[in-house]
Amino acid sequence: MARARHEASWTDEDAVVKGRVGRNRAWVLLALFAALAVLSTVTFNRFMNFQDVTYQLRSCTAPLTQESTWDEVQAAACDPVPAAGAELTLWAASHERPADATTGDSWTFEDVPVNTAQTSMEIRLPQAARSVVLAEPDNEVVRRELRPDVSDRRWTANVGGRGPTTYWVLVTPAG
């Protein structure tokens, strides 16, 4: 048998590695795929920022709009009212999500992606309302003005992206 130029002259025939190359490639590919799946999941969860979100129902004495200032919100004397009879639903990525818990004047939704603009809300009230707005008490701003249906009892709006975890739903009862 002829030897290659780069091969040492003292190499014995029994010292040459024989067998199939790459028989352990399946484990490497499987480990790489698993690492990629874990990294993708962690990145998605951090990016979407899944948290519990609370909406508190409050009744106001004066109508509010999306352009209302926080001073106007405080002047409207928006006090907490029982959520009994009203129903709040979130729509996240076209999937309806009823509240995970309702306590007194609040609805709590668990594991809501707060960093997405795909979240919308719908509130159904037992009586007609004059106006409904969504406010951020921590930032002291009105976030959205909800749109009514014909009966002024069902109100909807897009919540918007990168929101807080506490909202006020400010309702001004009809006349």
Side-chain angles (χ1 to χ4, degrees):
M1 173 178 200
R3 297 195 187 278
R5 235 196 282 188
H6 68 277
E7 189 175 16
S9 61
W10 49 265
T11 306
D12 186 64
E13 186 68 28
D14 293 334
V16 177
V17 177
K18 297 176 182 156
R20 294 187 309 166
V21 176
R23 61 181 171 196
N24 289 330
R25 286 186 187 166
W27 289 104
V28 172
L29 289 175
L30 184 61
L32 184 63
F33 179 74
L36 184 61
V38 168
L39 180 66
S40 297
T41 302
V42 169
T43 302
F44 177 78
N45 286 337
R46 282 185 172 256
F47 177 73
M48 297 302 276
N49 193 13
F50 289 90
Q51 294 190 32
D52 294 351
V53 179
T54 302
Y55 292 81
Q56 184 184 46
L57 183 62
R58 291 177 165 248
S59 180
C60 304
T61 58
L64 299 167
T65 67
Q66 188 164 340
E67 288 78 30
S68 297
T69 65
W70 196 251
D71 290 333
E72 291 173 319
V73 170
Q74 290 182 327
C78 301
D79 294 322
V81 294
E87 180 183 337
L88 189 104
T89 305
L90 286 187
W91 294 83
S94 301
H95 299 291
E96 183 178 3
R97 290 193 57 182
D100 293 304
T102 304
T103 55
D105 58 6
S106 300
W107 296 275
T108 301
F109 297 85
E110 297 174 357
D111 299 325
V112 175
V114 296
N115 286 349
T116 180
Q118 295 180 351
T119 305
S120 299
M121 64 171 289
E122 174 184 89
I123 186 165
R124 292 184 183 141
L125 301 169
Q127 289 122 14
R130 192 168 166 193
S131 72
V132 179
V133 296
L134 184 64
E136 300 177 18
D138 297 336
N139 299 324
E140 296 185 347
V141 295
V142 173
R143 186 173 181 99
R144 294 277 189 264
E145 183 175 357
L146 281 71
R147 295 173 306 280
D149 66 352
V150 176
S151 68
D152 291 335
R153 292 180 57 206
R154 191 180 89 182
W155 295 74
T156 59
N158 181 295
V159 174
R162 300 208 185 266
T165 57
T166 303
Y167 292 101
W168 286 352
V169 180
L170 306 176
V171 177
T172 304

